[in-house]
Amino acid sequence: MARSERLICAARDLDDGGAGVRFEVRVAGRREPAFVVRFGGRVFGYLNRCAHVPTELDWIDGQFFDADRRWLMCATHGAIYDPATGRCAGGPCRGGGLVPVEVVEQDDAVFVLERSED
Ligand code: FES
C-alpha cells in the first residue's frame, strides 16, 4: 500500500493553542473532514468528528480550542478533548476520543500522510 504526503498548510499558519486548519483526508475510500492544530509546539491531526454524536467540532471554521487554549472543544454539547492525545477529558464524549490523523511538520510546512488504496 503506497503512502503519500499532501500539503495542508504552512507551519506558520498554526499558532500554539490557536486556530486550526481544516482539510479532508481519505479514509476507507471516502473523503472525511479533518483538522490540524498546534499544541505544546507540536502538530496534531484528527478527524473532525465528535465522539458523542458524529458532528464536526468547530464552532466557527477552524476554531477548535476552548477560551483557555487548553482543550479541544465540541461546539455542540461542550465535550472537551486533550489536544495531544484526542482523549475525552470531560462532557458527553466520556470514554471516547477523537480519531487521529497522521500529520507531519517538515520544511516549514504541515502535511497529512495518506495511504492509497490502490
Ligand atoms: S456532539 Fe459533540 S459534545 Fe455532543
Side-chain angles (χ1 to χ4, degrees):
M1 189 178 287
R3 204 169 155 193
S4 61
E5 293 180 359
R6 188 164 47 82
L7 178 66
I8 302 173
C9 62
R12 67 178 175 277
D13 293 341
L14 295 174
D15 289 334
D16 217 283
V21 172
R22 295 166 53 103
F23 61 98
E24 289 192 332
V25 63
R26 196 171 42 243
V27 178
R30 294 199 317 265
R31 301 211 67 84
E32 298 281 353
F35 65 95
V36 61
V37 292
R38 185 182 301 281
F39 184 72
R42 296 176 53 204
V43 294
F44 298 94
Y46 298 102
L47 291 186
N48 194 355
R49 183 196 304 151
C50 187
H52 176 220
V53 175
T55 188
E56 296 186 4
L57 281 85
D58 37 345
W59 49 281
I60 296 174
D61 275 10
Q63 300 298 325
F64 296 95
F65 279 99
D66 69 343
D68 294 335
R69 300 162 70 104
R70 170 62 187 91
W71 305 105
L72 300 174
M73 178 180 269
C74 177
T76 303
H77 306 117
I80 56 172
Y81 299 91
D82 185 331
T85 64
R87 276 194 222 108
C88 176
C93 58
R94 206 160 276 295
L98 301 175
V99 178
V101 172
E102 269 190 285
V103 293
V104 62
E105 181 173 13
Q106 62 187 23
D107 301 327
D108 298 322
V110 179
F111 300 85
V112 58
L113 305 180
E114 290 182 309
R115 285 167 176 67
S116 81
E117 286 140 26
D118 303 328

